[in-house]
Amino acid sequence: MGKRGRNLREMRAEYEAAVSRGLISEEAPKRTRDSYARSATPESRPSRSAGPARLKVVWAVCDVGGRSVLTFPYAEKGQAEAHAAALKARGKGTHFLRAEKVPLD
């Protein structure tokens, strides 16, 4: 284990003994409260990132390959289902509905 910390009284006694021997001048510069304060110029901090972009959910009508054919706002799910059904009825292949997250504009 480490040594025990020094007592403040012991350190003060050593200081006074050094002053009486003339090893340390009594007029040594003392620190003031201002010397502990930070400098006047603020430190430059890295700027905060804006964070992840906000997203919204839309309904995407997709083909068999998963490619998005057309997107509809989330509230218009019925129209998206109707469009997918119309594409199937026309013989344009199999289409399905999928919810996607896209950046908020």
Side-chain angles (χ1 to χ4, degrees), residues 1 7 16 23 27 35 40 56 60 64 67 77 80 84:
M1 288 184 32
N7 188 342
E16 290 175 352
L23 300 175
E27 308 207 5
S35 65
K56 66 179 179 179
V64 176
R67 292 179 298 272
K77 183 177 181 181

Side-chain angles (χ1 to χ4, degrees), residues 7-21:
N7 188 342
L8 187 61
R9 290 182 184 154
E10 292 172 1
M11 291 190 293
R12 181 68 182 175
E14 289 176 10
Y15 172 76
E16 290 175 352
V19 169
S20 66
R21 286 189 220 137

Side-chain angles (χ1 to χ4, degrees), residues 65-80:
R67 292 179 298 272
S68 186
V69 176
L70 191 63
T71 59
F72 291 89
Y74 185 77
E76 298 176 4
K77 183 177 181 181
Q79 292 178 1

Side-chain angles (χ1 to χ4, degrees), residues 56-62 68 70-74 77 80 96-102:
K56 66 179 179 179
V57 178
V58 295
W59 294 109
V61 178
C62 301
S68 186
L70 191 63
T71 59
F72 291 89
Y74 185 77
K77 183 177 181 181
F96 61 95
L97 205 61
R98 175 173 59 194
E100 291 183 349
K101 291 183 180 180
V102 296

Side-chain angles (χ1 to χ4, degrees), residues 16-34:
E16 290 175 352
V19 169
S20 66
R21 286 189 220 137
L23 300 175
I24 300 175
S25 68
E26 187 80 37
E27 308 207 5
K30 295 184 178 182
R31 289 193 165 182
T32 62
R33 184 176 184 160
D34 295 334

